[in-house]
Amino acid sequence: MPLEIIHNDITKIEADAIVNAANSGLQMGGGVSGAIFRAAGAEDLQRACDEIGGCPTGEAVFTDSFRLPSQYIIHTVGPVWRGGVHDEEKILRACYRNSLELAASLKCASIAFPLISAGIYGYPKEQALQVAVSEIEKFLQEHSMQVYLVLFDK
């Protein structure tokens, strides 16, 4: 099945790319971002992110994955939830679409996503899940890729 929702630690997933729910400065954060940085090797990954310089909200960039089992880390910056009236859904959809398109351009056959913006950025989890599944399914109608949506908690 091209889309699987699994409960796991994203840093342990063997996919061509994993997605980091990043901040716009591409600095090591907490939550998923902190776990990815620690597992990849924080100094190496931070140096690679510093070379890129940053990433606008809704966009995606990539680095090597260093010590992770994936080949790439795709960094995307999700929206901070502000009640749903500041284009949060549109921006969140762009995160998934831009990450998937970047993975396709890198010739990735598989990619693993966390639930973007549903942690410290406050996006309601059920709504974030609906956006993720909808945008991933739309992409998969035209592309062949194994996509994992990796949820850390129940």
Side-chain angles (χ1 to χ4, degrees), residues 32 46 51 56 90 103 118 135:
V32 171
Q46 189 61 67
E51 287 176 18
K90 178 181 172 187
E135 203 59 38

Side-chain angles (χ1 to χ4, degrees), residues 3 5 19 25-26 28 31 55 76-77 80 85 95 107 116 121 123 125 130 135 145 147:
L3 170 60
I5 299 174
V19 177
L26 299 179
M28 181 176 172
C55 181
T76 191
V77 183
V80 173
V85 295
C95 289
K107 309 268 189 269
I116 299 167
Y121 281 16
Y123 209 109
K125 287 183 179 174
Q130 290 172 3
E135 203 59 38
M145 189 179 295
V147 182

Side-chain angles (χ1 to χ4, degrees), residues 66-79:
F66 301 98
R67 291 188 278 186
L68 293 171
S70 59
Q71 185 174 0
Y72 303 106
I73 301 170
I74 294 177
H75 307 266
T76 191
V77 183

Side-chain angles (χ1 to χ4, degrees), residues 105-121:
S105 76
L106 294 168
K107 309 268 189 269
C108 293
S110 58
I111 185 171
F113 283 93
L115 198 54
I116 299 167
S117 286
I120 61 171
Y121 281 16

